[in-house]
Amino acid sequence: MNRYLFFLAATFFLSACGGGQSTSSSNSSSSSSSASSSSSSSSSSSSSNSSSSSSSSSSSSSSSSGQAGTLCDATLTTRNREAVVNALDGLFVQKNVAAIEQYWADPYLQHNPVAQSGVAAFRSFMGPFVTQSSFQYSRLRTLVECDLAVVIGRYSGTGVIFDMFRLRDGKLMEHWDSDSNQASDAAGPTEITDRVATDENREHVRALYANALIPNNAAAAATYFANSLVVRRAPTRSGAGAFFDYLVASQIRYSKLHHIVADGNFVFVLAEGTLNGRAYGFYDLFRLESGLIVEHWDSRRVVPGSTASGLGIF
């Protein structure tokens, strides 16, 4: 095993990624249906690496117009949901290495800082890794919208990871992820419901960033949350202002929304900002009810000075 693979194995199996509602690492797969996807938004970047983010391939595809409304034909979302669930359950749960040939495709662009792009690099590490008896994986939540899929899953040794994939022709060809052991508590509802509200919920969360989080406006932020809000990283805080209070206490500031993926009552955002003045990527998951945010989960990653693939983390 070369030094790159040894480093991955020693720290975290992070160049991989996972699937959908809760399945655990000894059983099979599942599938379901969903809404759409999008990317992009406001402000400037706090690191040279962040702008190279979606470099080659179509990282700014998937309808980056920012307009409300269905972003793609619903059948594309359904097909991609089935593909990502089958891919991740097949490789990580059933430990079937042949799933790589079936569901991954070049250029398989890697935004993980220590992973090289390409299916060959992915296979050379993941093949022997996932077949180890010590490796376990369980899917917790899966959101899919158009060509983007977000999977929150629990990996043995590295904790809960937020993985995002871009799919083309039913295959995974680009990957982003949060850092190991950085996620909030992952408990809470996992079922995707209320898919008719996907567009409304996406635009509600997009407006939260544009009107409140990026301008750092506490009063505006409170209007996007329910009084029953649960902030999984700060469970002792309560009320509609709890999320913003947590941001202030943690010295977190947002500067740019890079990707947003909505699926029914869940909306995921990959955003850029700072924590205690240091550049970070923030992986936020919101659950909505009746047009307001009622629950929040998150993970994060330091923006690195360089990456193995040459692509930034956004």
Side-chain angles (χ1 to χ4, degrees):
M1 185 179 284
N2 64 32
R3 194 174 73 168
Y4 161 67
L5 298 182
F6 176 81
F7 176 74
L8 279 177
T11 54
F12 137 102
F13 123 88
L14 224 136
S15 71
C17 321
Q21 268 63 332
S22 41
T23 17
S24 173
S25 144
S26 45
N27 322 51
S28 55
S29 58
S30 76
S31 105
S32 220
S33 99
S34 170
S36 57
S37 150
S38 152
S39 109
S40 89
S41 200
S42 51
S43 196
S44 59
S45 172
S46 57
S47 150
S48 59
N49 244 351
S50 66
S51 52
S52 70
S53 89
S54 291
S55 74
S56 46
S57 170
S58 52
S59 204
S60 59
S61 76
S62 166
S63 221
S64 57
S65 66
Q67 296 178 358
T70 300
L71 301 177
C72 67
D73 189 308
T75 59
L76 175 63
T77 295
T78 299
R79 288 197 307 269
N80 285 338
R81 177 178 299 102
E82 292 173 354
V84 76
V85 166
N86 290 338
L88 298 174
D89 281 359
L91 182 59
F92 299 146
V93 178
Q94 300 163 17
K95 303 192 175 190
N96 177 12
V97 177
I100 296 174
E101 307 305 324
Q102 186 175 359
Y103 292 108
W104 273 260
D106 282 318
Y108 197 53
L109 302 173
Q110 277 284 11
H111 297 271
N112 177 297
V114 300
Q116 296 170 339
S117 293
V119 173
F122 180 74
R123 186 194 307 108
S124 67
F125 173 67
M126 291 313 303
F129 191 86
V130 299
T131 53
Q132 294 177 14
S133 59
S134 60
F135 174 77
Q136 299 292 314
Y137 174 78
S138 58
R139 286 188 297 112
L140 305 177
R141 297 173 182 90
T142 299
L143 289 67
V144 182
E145 191 175 21
C146 295
D147 63 343
L148 290 180
V150 176
V151 180
I152 293 88
R154 190 183 304 278
Y155 296 87
S156 51
T158 62
V160 173
I161 301 293
F162 288 51
D163 287 306
M164 184 169 76
F165 301 93
R166 189 179 302 282
L167 291 91
R168 180 187 293 160
D169 299 326
K171 294 196 174 187
L172 283 59
M173 47 74 63
E174 191 165 10
H175 170 243
W176 301 253
D177 58 1
S178 61
D179 207 349
S180 57
N181 299 311
Q182 293 295 311
S184 63
D185 173 26
T190 61
E191 182 183 3
I192 294 178
T193 63
D194 202 18
R195 285 202 164 106
V196 297
T198 293
D199 293 344
E200 177 186 346
N201 288 341
R202 181 198 321 106
E203 298 314 312
H204 182 86
V205 172
R206 190 193 303 278
L208 165 68
Y209 282 78
N211 300 333
L213 299 186
I214 293 173
N216 201 36
N217 186 328
T223 65
Y224 292 88
F225 296 90
N227 286 326
S228 59
L229 174 67
V230 175
V231 180
R232 288 290 173 179
R233 195 178 285 273
T236 60
R237 298 184 182 277
S238 61
F243 182 65
F244 200 89
D245 291 345
Y246 149 70
L247 296 181
V248 172
S250 303
Q251 297 186 52
I252 291 173
R253 289 290 305 270
Y254 288 91
S255 59
K256 185 172 184 178
L257 186 158
H258 284 272
H259 301 279
I260 184 165
V261 178
D263 196 348
N265 55 331
F266 285 95
V267 180
F268 167 81
V269 170
L270 172 52
E272 183 174 359
T274 58
L275 190 161
N276 292 322
R278 187 174 186 182
Y280 265 81
F282 296 107
Y283 304 72
D284 291 309
L285 180 66
F286 302 92
R287 184 172 66 86
L288 293 88
E289 289 181 357
S290 303
L292 292 174
I293 297 167
V294 295
E295 197 160 7
H296 172 263
W297 300 260
D298 77 288
S299 193
R300 52 184 65 152
R301 177 185 286 287
V302 172
V303 177
S306 63
T307 66
S309 67
L311 302 176
I313 69 168
F314 301 107

Tab-separated table of all heavy atoms in Angstrom, residues 82-123:
chain	number	residue	atom	x	y	z
A	82	GLU	N	-32.009	5.807	-6.824
A	82	GLU	CA	-31.809	4.359	-6.892
A	82	GLU	C	-30.334	4.018	-7.094
A	82	GLU	O	-29.804	3.093	-6.471
A	82	GLU	CB	-32.651	3.777	-8.023
A	82	GLU	CG	-34.152	3.846	-7.769
A	82	GLU	CD	-34.973	3.422	-8.971
A	82	GLU	OE1	-34.378	3.184	-10.052
A	82	GLU	OE2	-36.210	3.329	-8.837
A	83	ALA	N	-29.664	4.791	-7.960
A	83	ALA	CA	-28.258	4.510	-8.253
A	83	ALA	C	-27.375	4.724	-7.030
A	83	ALA	O	-26.523	3.884	-6.708
A	83	ALA	CB	-27.774	5.387	-9.406
A	84	VAL	N	-27.554	5.847	-6.320
A	84	VAL	CA	-26.670	6.121	-5.186
A	84	VAL	C	-26.936	5.157	-4.037
A	84	VAL	O	-26.008	4.706	-3.350
A	84	VAL	CB	-26.773	7.598	-4.738
A	84	VAL	CG1	-28.052	7.874	-3.956
A	84	VAL	CG2	-25.556	7.996	-3.921
A	85	VAL	N	-28.192	4.797	-3.814
A	85	VAL	CA	-28.508	3.832	-2.761
A	85	VAL	C	-27.914	2.468	-3.094
A	85	VAL	O	-27.281	1.822	-2.253
A	85	VAL	CB	-30.036	3.739	-2.556
A	85	VAL	CG1	-30.411	2.515	-1.723
A	85	VAL	CG2	-30.557	5.009	-1.878
A	86	ASN	N	-28.096	2.026	-4.333
A	86	ASN	CA	-27.549	0.727	-4.732
A	86	ASN	C	-26.025	0.722	-4.699
A	86	ASN	O	-25.403	-0.275	-4.310
A	86	ASN	CB	-28.044	0.355	-6.126
A	86	ASN	CG	-29.520	0.022	-6.149
A	86	ASN	OD1	-30.112	-0.325	-5.131
A	86	ASN	ND2	-30.141	0.140	-7.313
A	87	ALA	N	-25.419	1.838	-5.096
A	87	ALA	CA	-23.965	1.931	-5.095
A	87	ALA	C	-23.398	1.816	-3.693
A	87	ALA	O	-22.485	1.025	-3.428
A	87	ALA	CB	-23.521	3.246	-5.736
A	88	LEU	N	-23.935	2.587	-2.788
A	88	LEU	CA	-23.367	2.633	-1.448
A	88	LEU	C	-23.730	1.406	-0.621
A	88	LEU	O	-22.907	0.887	0.132
A	88	LEU	CB	-23.801	3.922	-0.758
A	88	LEU	CG	-23.277	5.146	-1.501
A	88	LEU	CD1	-23.821	6.428	-0.912
A	88	LEU	CD2	-21.771	5.182	-1.515
A	89	ASP	N	-24.962	0.940	-0.755
A	89	ASP	CA	-25.317	-0.301	-0.065
A	89	ASP	C	-24.502	-1.467	-0.618
A	89	ASP	O	-24.044	-2.332	0.123
A	89	ASP	CB	-26.807	-0.589	-0.221
A	89	ASP	CG	-27.664	0.228	0.731
A	89	ASP	OD1	-27.082	1.004	1.519
A	89	ASP	OD2	-28.891	0.118	0.677
A	90	GLY	N	-24.341	-1.464	-1.939
A	90	GLY	CA	-23.604	-2.560	-2.552
A	90	GLY	C	-22.163	-2.601	-2.088
A	90	GLY	O	-21.647	-3.661	-1.707
A	91	LEU	N	-21.486	-1.458	-2.105
A	91	LEU	CA	-20.069	-1.430	-1.754
A	91	LEU	C	-19.833	-1.453	-0.252
A	91	LEU	O	-19.009	-2.232	0.238
A	91	LEU	CB	-19.416	-0.179	-2.351
A	91	LEU	CG	-17.917	-0.032	-2.096
A	91	LEU	CD1	-17.134	-1.224	-2.657
A	91	LEU	CD2	-17.386	1.277	-2.679
A	92	PHE	N	-20.558	-0.624	0.503
A	92	PHE	CA	-20.242	-0.456	1.919
A	92	PHE	C	-21.006	-1.390	2.850
A	92	PHE	O	-20.501	-1.768	3.902
A	92	PHE	CB	-20.512	0.993	2.346
A	92	PHE	CG	-19.685	1.999	1.603
A	92	PHE	CD1	-20.196	3.248	1.300
A	92	PHE	CD2	-18.399	1.701	1.195
A	92	PHE	CE1	-19.441	4.185	0.616
A	92	PHE	CE2	-17.628	2.623	0.513
A	92	PHE	CZ	-18.152	3.870	0.226
A	93	VAL	N	-22.217	-1.714	2.491
A	93	VAL	CA	-23.023	-2.581	3.353
A	93	VAL	C	-22.832	-4.050	2.983
A	93	VAL	O	-22.535	-4.885	3.826
A	93	VAL	CB	-24.517	-2.175	3.284
A	93	VAL	CG1	-25.356	-3.106	4.153
A	93	VAL	CG2	-24.701	-0.729	3.755
A	94	GLN	N	-22.992	-4.347	1.687
A	94	GLN	CA	-22.839	-5.732	1.233
A	94	GLN	C	-21.379	-6.084	0.942
A	94	GLN	O	-21.052	-7.251	0.720
A	94	GLN	CB	-23.691	-5.960	-0.015
A	94	GLN	CG	-25.175	-5.718	0.230
A	94	GLN	CD	-25.967	-5.546	-1.057
A	94	GLN	OE1	-25.496	-5.901	-2.139
A	94	GLN	NE2	-27.162	-5.005	-0.941
A	95	LYS	N	-20.505	-5.085	0.918
A	95	LYS	CA	-19.066	-5.268	0.698
A	95	LYS	C	-18.777	-5.937	-0.648
A	95	LYS	O	-17.888	-6.776	-0.770
A	95	LYS	CB	-18.441	-6.038	1.859
A	95	LYS	CG	-18.676	-5.367	3.210
A	95	LYS	CD	-17.827	-5.969	4.313
A	95	LYS	CE	-18.023	-5.181	5.609
A	95	LYS	NZ	-17.062	-5.576	6.635
A	96	ASN	N	-19.533	-5.537	-1.652
A	96	ASN	CA	-19.389	-6.073	-2.987
A	96	ASN	C	-18.538	-5.103	-3.820
A	96	ASN	O	-19.017	-4.084	-4.298
A	96	ASN	CB	-20.769	-6.248	-3.631
A	96	ASN	CG	-20.682	-6.741	-5.058
A	96	ASN	OD1	-19.628	-7.166	-5.523
A	96	ASN	ND2	-21.793	-6.672	-5.768
A	97	VAL	N	-17.259	-5.435	-3.997
A	97	VAL	CA	-16.330	-4.541	-4.687
A	97	VAL	C	-16.719	-4.339	-6.147
A	97	VAL	O	-16.399	-3.304	-6.755
A	97	VAL	CB	-14.890	-5.090	-4.560
A	97	VAL	CG1	-13.905	-4.220	-5.320
A	97	VAL	CG2	-14.487	-5.168	-3.080
A	98	ALA	N	-17.444	-5.286	-6.726
A	98	ALA	CA	-17.884	-5.153	-8.116
A	98	ALA	C	-18.812	-3.961	-8.302
A	98	ALA	O	-19.007	-3.482	-9.430
A	98	ALA	CB	-18.580	-6.431	-8.569
A	99	ALA	N	-19.392	-3.443	-7.216
A	99	ALA	CA	-20.263	-2.265	-7.304
A	99	ALA	C	-19.500	-1.058	-7.837
A	99	ALA	O	-20.097	-0.158	-8.441
A	99	ALA	CB	-20.864	-1.952	-5.937
A	100	ILE	N	-18.180	-1.018	-7.629
A	100	ILE	CA	-17.386	0.112	-8.125
A	100	ILE	C	-17.462	0.189	-9.644
A	100	ILE	O	-17.656	1.260	-10.225
A	100	ILE	CB	-15.926	0.004	-7.647
A	100	ILE	CG1	-15.862	0.101	-6.112
A	100	ILE	CG2	-15.072	1.100	-8.290
A	100	ILE	CD1	-14.478	-0.127	-5.528
A	101	GLU	N	-17.317	-0.960	-10.298
A	101	GLU	CA	-17.386	-0.984	-11.758
A	101	GLU	C	-18.779	-0.616	-12.253
A	101	GLU	O	-18.936	-0.002	-13.308
A	101	GLU	CB	-17.016	-2.381	-12.289
A	101	GLU	CG	-15.684	-2.896	-11.784
A	101	GLU	CD	-14.541	-1.942	-12.072
A	101	GLU	OE1	-14.566	-1.305	-13.146
A	101	GLU	OE2	-13.644	-1.811	-11.220
A	102	GLN	N	-19.788	-0.985	-11.481
A	102	GLN	CA	-21.160	-0.757	-11.917
A	102	GLN	C	-21.639	0.664	-11.697
A	102	GLN	O	-22.396	1.201	-12.511
A	102	GLN	CB	-22.097	-1.740	-11.194
A	102	GLN	CG	-23.542	-1.677	-11.676
A	102	GLN	CD	-24.411	-2.739	-11.029
A	102	GLN	OE1	-23.945	-3.553	-10.217
A	102	GLN	NE2	-25.687	-2.743	-11.379
A	103	TYR	N	-21.184	1.309	-10.603
A	103	TYR	CA	-21.796	2.575	-10.215
A	103	TYR	C	-20.848	3.775	-10.142
A	103	TYR	O	-21.311	4.889	-9.923
A	103	TYR	CB	-22.485	2.416	-8.857
A	103	TYR	CG	-23.691	1.519	-8.906
A	103	TYR	CD1	-23.665	0.241	-8.336
A	103	TYR	CD2	-24.869	1.925	-9.534
A	103	TYR	CE1	-24.781	-0.590	-8.375
A	103	TYR	CE2	-25.975	1.113	-9.582
A	103	TYR	CZ	-25.937	-0.151	-9.004
A	103	TYR	OH	-27.035	-0.958	-9.056
A	104	TRP	N	-19.556	3.581	-10.313
A	104	TRP	CA	-18.621	4.709	-10.305
A	104	TRP	C	-18.080	4.926	-11.712
A	104	TRP	O	-17.916	3.967	-12.474
A	104	TRP	CB	-17.461	4.457	-9.338
A	104	TRP	CG	-17.733	4.875	-7.934
A	104	TRP	CD1	-17.316	6.025	-7.324
A	104	TRP	CD2	-18.478	4.155	-6.926
A	104	TRP	NE1	-17.758	6.064	-6.010
A	104	TRP	CE2	-18.471	4.921	-5.748
A	104	TRP	CE3	-19.155	2.927	-6.921
A	104	TRP	CZ2	-19.097	4.518	-4.573
A	104	TRP	CZ3	-19.787	2.522	-5.755
A	104	TRP	CH2	-19.767	3.308	-4.600
A	105	ALA	N	-17.793	6.166	-12.066
A	105	ALA	CA	-17.290	6.456	-13.408
A	105	ALA	C	-16.274	7.593	-13.366
A	105	ALA	O	-16.367	8.506	-12.536
A	105	ALA	CB	-18.440	6.835	-14.344
A	106	ASP	N	-15.305	7.507	-14.256
A	106	ASP	CA	-14.352	8.608	-14.393
A	106	ASP	C	-15.058	9.827	-14.987
A	106	ASP	O	-16.044	9.670	-15.709
A	106	ASP	CB	-13.195	8.170	-15.292
A	106	ASP	CG	-12.198	7.284	-14.546
A	106	ASP	OD1	-11.905	7.613	-13.379
A	106	ASP	OD2	-11.759	6.275	-15.116
A	107	PRO	N	-14.605	11.030	-14.629
A	107	PRO	CA	-13.325	11.298	-13.962
A	107	PRO	C	-13.349	11.126	-12.442
A	107	PRO	O	-12.321	11.314	-11.814
A	107	PRO	CB	-13.051	12.748	-14.324
A	107	PRO	CG	-14.413	13.368	-14.463
A	107	PRO	CD	-15.280	12.284	-15.064
A	108	TYR	N	-14.458	10.746	-11.842
A	108	TYR	CA	-14.651	10.674	-10.395
A	108	TYR	C	-13.810	11.729	-9.664
A	108	TYR	O	-12.810	11.440	-9.010
A	108	TYR	CB	-14.376	9.283	-9.846
A	108	TYR	CG	-14.976	9.127	-8.445
A	108	TYR	CD1	-16.321	9.414	-8.226
A	108	TYR	CD2	-14.195	8.747	-7.362
A	108	TYR	CE1	-16.883	9.309	-6.964
A	108	TYR	CE2	-14.757	8.634	-6.090
A	108	TYR	CZ	-16.095	8.922	-5.897
A	108	TYR	OH	-16.644	8.821	-4.638
A	109	LEU	N	-14.235	12.946	-9.798
A	109	LEU	CA	-13.537	14.098	-9.231
A	109	LEU	C	-13.644	14.105	-7.715
A	109	LEU	O	-14.741	13.996	-7.161
A	109	LEU	CB	-14.116	15.389	-9.806
A	109	LEU	CG	-14.060	15.501	-11.334
A	109	LEU	CD1	-14.806	16.735	-11.798
A	109	LEU	CD2	-12.619	15.515	-11.810
A	110	GLN	N	-12.520	14.261	-7.044
A	110	GLN	CA	-12.479	14.214	-5.587
A	110	GLN	C	-12.223	15.597	-4.992
A	110	GLN	O	-11.221	16.245	-5.289
A	110	GLN	CB	-11.368	13.258	-5.128
A	110	GLN	CG	-11.771	11.802	-5.121
A	110	GLN	CD	-12.671	11.460	-3.923
A	110	GLN	OE1	-13.157	12.336	-3.211
A	110	GLN	NE2	-12.877	10.168	-3.708
A	111	HIS	N	-13.151	16.008	-4.117
A	111	HIS	CA	-12.980	17.249	-3.368
A	111	HIS	C	-12.543	16.966	-1.932
A	111	HIS	O	-12.382	17.894	-1.144
A	111	HIS	CB	-14.278	18.056	-3.395
A	111	HIS	CG	-14.671	18.478	-4.776
A	111	HIS	ND1	-14.242	19.660	-5.349
A	111	HIS	CD2	-15.426	17.863	-5.720
A	111	HIS	CE1	-14.737	19.762	-6.573
A	111	HIS	NE2	-15.457	18.675	-6.828
A	112	ASN	N	-12.366	15.705	-1.594
A	112	ASN	CA	-11.739	15.333	-0.326
A	112	ASN	C	-10.261	15.697	-0.415
A	112	ASN	O	-9.596	15.331	-1.380
A	112	ASN	CB	-11.908	13.825	-0.115
A	112	ASN	CG	-11.227	13.346	1.154
A	112	ASN	OD1	-10.018	13.455	1.262
A	112	ASN	ND2	-11.992	12.819	2.078
A	113	PRO	N	-9.725	16.423	0.579
A	113	PRO	CA	-8.366	16.960	0.457
A	113	PRO	C	-7.264	15.923	0.244
A	113	PRO	O	-6.254	16.216	-0.396
A	113	PRO	CB	-8.159	17.698	1.783
A	113	PRO	CG	-9.525	18.038	2.246
A	113	PRO	CD	-10.402	16.913	1.793
A	114	VAL	N	-7.426	14.693	0.774
A	114	VAL	CA	-6.340	13.713	0.688
A	114	VAL	C	-6.585	12.640	-0.362
A	114	VAL	O	-5.786	11.716	-0.508
A	114	VAL	CB	-6.085	13.047	2.064
A	114	VAL	CG1	-5.695	14.079	3.088
A	114	VAL	CG2	-7.308	12.250	2.540
A	115	ALA	N	-7.681	12.729	-1.101
A	115	ALA	CA	-8.011	11.693	-2.083
A	115	ALA	C	-7.700	12.165	-3.499
A	115	ALA	O	-7.979	13.307	-3.864
A	115	ALA	CB	-9.487	11.320	-1.977
A	116	GLN	N	-7.143	11.266	-4.292
A	116	GLN	CA	-6.883	11.558	-5.690
A	116	GLN	C	-8.121	11.251	-6.523
A	116	GLN	O	-8.880	10.351	-6.200
A	116	GLN	CB	-5.691	10.723	-6.171
A	116	GLN	CG	-4.390	11.066	-5.459
A	116	GLN	CD	-3.287	10.074	-5.772
A	116	GLN	OE1	-3.551	8.952	-6.189
A	116	GLN	NE2	-2.045	10.487	-5.547
A	117	SER	N	-8.301	11.989	-7.593
A	117	SER	CA	-9.434	11.747	-8.481
A	117	SER	C	-9.222	10.469	-9.290
A	117	SER	O	-8.100	9.995	-9.449
A	117	SER	CB	-9.627	12.926	-9.433
A	117	SER	OG	-10.020	14.086	-8.735
A	118	GLY	N	-10.322	9.919	-9.811
A	118	GLY	CA	-10.246	8.765	-10.692
A	118	GLY	C	-10.763	7.495	-10.046
A	118	GLY	O	-10.556	7.261	-8.852
A	119	VAL	N	-11.434	6.673	-10.838
A	119	VAL	CA	-11.981	5.412	-10.341
A	119	VAL	C	-10.865	4.459	-9.931
A	119	VAL	O	-10.984	3.725	-8.944
A	119	VAL	CB	-12.899	4.762	-11.402
A	119	VAL	CG1	-13.346	3.369	-10.957
A	119	VAL	CG2	-14.120	5.641	-11.654
A	120	ALA	N	-9.749	4.454	-10.649
A	120	ALA	CA	-8.650	3.541	-10.330
A	120	ALA	C	-8.108	3.804	-8.928
A	120	ALA	O	-7.864	2.867	-8.154
A	120	ALA	CB	-7.541	3.660	-11.368
A	121	ALA	N	-7.918	5.086	-8.586
A	121	ALA	CA	-7.425	5.429	-7.248
A	121	ALA	C	-8.438	5.023	-6.179
A	121	ALA	O	-8.073	4.505	-5.118
A	121	ALA	CB	-7.141	6.925	-7.170
A	122	PHE	N	-9.711	5.263	-6.477
A	122	PHE	CA	-10.774	4.894	-5.538
A	122	PHE	C	-10.797	3.377	-5.320
A	122	PHE	O	-10.853	2.890	-4.190
A	122	PHE	CB	-12.113	5.384	-6.081
A	122	PHE	CG	-13.292	5.062	-5.219
A	122	PHE	CD1	-13.526	5.741	-4.038
A	122	PHE	CD2	-14.195	4.071	-5.590
A	122	PHE	CE1	-14.617	5.444	-3.243
A	122	PHE	CE2	-15.285	3.770	-4.803
A	122	PHE	CZ	-15.503	4.460	-3.627
A	123	ARG	N	-10.744	2.617	-6.404
A	123	ARG	CA	-10.797	1.160	-6.317
A	123	ARG	C	-9.589	0.595	-5.566
A	123	ARG	O	-9.729	-0.330	-4.752
A	123	ARG	CB	-10.856	0.550	-7.712
A	123	ARG	CG	-11.050	-0.956	-7.739
A	123	ARG	CD	-10.770	-1.558	-9.100
A	123	ARG	NE	-11.525	-0.909	-10.163
A	123	ARG	CZ	-10.984	-0.105	-11.076
A	123	ARG	NH1	-9.669	0.130	-11.071
A	123	ARG	NH2	-11.737	0.444	-12.001
